[in-house]
Amino acid sequence: MKNHAGIVSSLIGGDVKLFANSIDEAFAKNFTKESRKDSVFAYAIKSGVVEFNHNKGIILCE
C-alpha cells in the first residue's frame, strides 16, 4: 500500500499471512510455512489491530 492514506483497523481471529523470503530464526517458531514456492508464512491470531502509515505496517495481536 505504497503512499496510501493512514489506516487503523481491528482484526478478528484467523491467520495473518506474511509474504517474505525468510523469517529470522528467533521468530520462525511462531509461524507456519504455507508454501515453499511462494514463501508464505502464517501466524494464528485471536484478535488484534493493524495500522498502516508512512508506508509501514504495524500489527498488534493476541
Side-chain angles (χ1 to χ4, degrees):
M1 295 177 32
K2 188 169 181 155
N3 297 323
H4 193 282
I7 185 172
V8 175
S9 185
S10 60
L11 300 172
I12 60 172
D15 287 341
V16 173
K17 293 186 180 181
L18 175 67
F19 298 84
N21 292 328
S22 64
I23 294 179
D24 189 288
E25 287 185 34
F27 303 106
K29 65 183 178 190
N30 299 313
F31 288 85
T32 56
K33 195 166 186 181
E34 290 202 342
S35 171
R36 288 187 304 161
K37 180 181 177 186
D38 297 326
S39 297
V40 179
F41 300 88
Y43 183 78
I45 67 165
K46 293 180 184 176
S47 64
V49 177
V50 62
E51 174 189 6
F52 282 100
N53 201 11
H54 301 293
N55 296 324
K56 294 185 180 183
I58 298 172
I59 299 173
L60 302 173
C61 59
E62 173 179 25

